[in-house]
Amino acid sequence: MASVALSEAEKVYIVHGVQEDLRVDGRGCEDYRYVEVETDVVSNTSGSARVKLGHTDILVGVKAEMGTPKLEKPNEGYLEFFVDCSANATPEFEGRGGDDLGTEIANTLYRIFNNKSSVDLQSLCISPREHCWILYVDVLLLECGGNLFDTICIAVKAALFNTRIPRVRVLEDEEGSKDIELSDDPYDCIRLSVENVPCIVTLCKIGYRHVVDATLQEEACSLASLLVSVTSTGVVTCMRKVGKGSLDPESIFEMMEHLCMAATAETPCKTPCRAQLCGESSEPLCRETWWQVKEKLLV
């Protein structure tokens, strides 16, 4: 992860400001920077997007190629991720530093996107066990200004929304052999639904409080962050800790409470829902449920 060198006085200044809900750039602890999203920016791809969040600049391209379904999922297509941490973004990405970070980001994207609850993978199947669409998602880090995971997730979701997959017709002759015919009409295509695709929210712990959309300077003042993947309905599909430090259960539940309250607009829960972090629960997490779980785990 990219970092910046700060003096102890600068760190104290940032930490004390966060405790008073006032960050260096004037934002509150739960405010994001201005987000700029541009789609269809690369001509030789099936879909593309470029996202700028502060000084973080991400370019994503998606290419659809025909392949064979996986043995364990014969009726589904799948996604392949490759993350290139360009040394132009920061000198720290030269050599193994960029490769290790790229692998970490790609593994996180696999967990979030490459499942049927986020993307309709069955719509990528052409003929079971024989042909399917494989979406190769290439992520390029052009500039690193903090909050990489959130920015990359927005860019991938925008690129998938922009992706156009040619419509395929499977023709079978009298002998039973199959022939695949691709439509050459650019408007005769399949569009992916990204309604259930979650977005990543990174909660960065600084002092006794947490912030969203942390800058490089704020990340230098934090030892640990909580990365949460949440849908538009407030369902948490993935959660993991990043950073070398640790988070106590009290801090984790405090972060999750603020996140779920924002996602569900503090709608009261009439029937208790299960707090499952694996994404199998179909109900959104609410404030009441989180405090019930908190009381059980902290006993």
Side-chain angles (χ1 to χ4, degrees):
M1 191 73 69
S3 61
V4 61
L6 295 178
S7 66
E8 288 301 322
E10 289 174 315
K11 290 183 179 181
V12 170
Y13 179 77
I14 293 175
V15 172
H16 286 184
V18 169
Q19 308 315 307
E20 300 297 329
D21 196 22
L22 181 61
R23 299 159 76 172
V24 175
D25 53 9
R27 292 181 292 152
C29 289
E30 299 180 2
D31 295 334
Y32 269 80
R33 291 170 289 181
Y34 177 77
V35 182
E36 181 180 344
V37 181
E38 185 181 2
T39 59
D40 203 12
V41 294
V42 183
S43 59
N44 60 343
T45 61
S46 303
S48 59
R50 184 174 183 177
V51 174
K52 296 180 181 179
L53 179 61
H55 293 290
T56 301
D57 192 356
I58 306 295
L59 178 65
V60 175
V62 180
K63 295 201 71 173
E65 294 185 4
M66 200 173 299
T68 304
K70 297 181 179 180
L71 293 177
E72 63 274 15
K73 297 178 180 179
N75 299 319
E76 299 179 2
Y78 56 95
L79 285 70
E80 293 283 354
F81 292 95
F82 175 75
V83 181
D84 182 10
C85 299
S86 172
N88 295 327
T90 173
E92 296 180 38
F93 289 163
E94 292 188 31
R96 293 293 304 173
D99 293 340
D100 293 342
L101 178 60
T103 302
E104 179 185 358
I105 295 174
N107 291 337
T108 302
L109 294 177
Y110 272 114
R111 294 180 58 184
I112 295 173
F113 289 95
N114 206 6
N115 58 78
K116 60 184 179 181
S117 62
S118 298
V119 180
D120 185 10
L121 298 178
Q122 291 186 354
S123 65
L124 300 177
C125 181
I126 300 173
S127 56
R129 297 183 177 87
E130 295 181 356
H131 301 92
C132 72
W133 287 110
I134 305 173
L135 301 183
Y136 293 94
V137 183
D138 295 323
V139 180
L140 176 61
L141 277 63
L142 300 175
E143 187 177 359
C144 183
N147 200 19
L148 275 180
F149 285 96
D150 295 25
T151 313
I152 291 174
C153 187
I154 295 173
V156 172
K157 185 171 183 177
L160 291 176
F161 174 79
N162 181 246
T163 299
R164 296 174 176 86
I165 304 173
R167 194 172 297 277
V168 178
R169 295 174 179 84
V170 181
L171 306 177
E172 186 174 355
D173 58 17
E174 296 178 355
E175 299 179 355
S177 61
K178 296 180 181 179
D179 188 20
I180 295 178
E181 181 181 282
L182 290 178
S183 174
D184 55 0
D185 185 356
Y187 296 98
D188 186 18
C189 59
I190 301 173
R191 303 293 295 269
L192 290 175
S193 173
V194 296
E195 181 180 358
N196 296 325
V197 174
C199 282
I200 294 177
V201 178
T202 302
L203 301 163
C204 191
K205 186 73 173 180
I206 299 178
Y208 297 101
R209 300 193 64 170
H210 62 271
V211 301
V212 298
D213 188 20
T215 62
L216 283 178
Q217 291 77 14
E218 291 170 336
E219 289 179 351
C221 300
S222 173
L223 294 178
S225 301
L226 186 67
L227 187 150
V228 182
S229 147
V230 60
T231 66
S232 59
T233 58
V235 177
V236 175
T237 61
C238 174
M239 183 175 70
R240 60 176 291 236
K241 184 193 74 69
V242 295
K244 299 180 180 179
S246 60
L247 293 172
D248 60 274
E250 184 75 22
S251 298
I252 294 176
F253 283 109
E254 180 185 353
M255 293 178 178
M256 294 302 300
E257 182 194 9
H258 281 81
L259 174 65
C260 295
M261 286 172 59
T264 59
E266 296 186 313
T267 303
C269 183
K270 297 181 181 179
T271 57
C273 54
R274 296 179 301 162
Q276 297 182 351
L277 301 182
C278 59
E280 296 179 356
S281 176
S282 60
E283 299 174 334
L285 302 175
C286 64
R287 181 179 183 182
E288 177 183 349
T289 302
W290 272 109
W291 280 105
Q292 290 176 355
V293 177
K294 174 182 176 180
E295 291 174 355
K296 293 180 181 179
L297 292 182
L298 297 183
V299 172

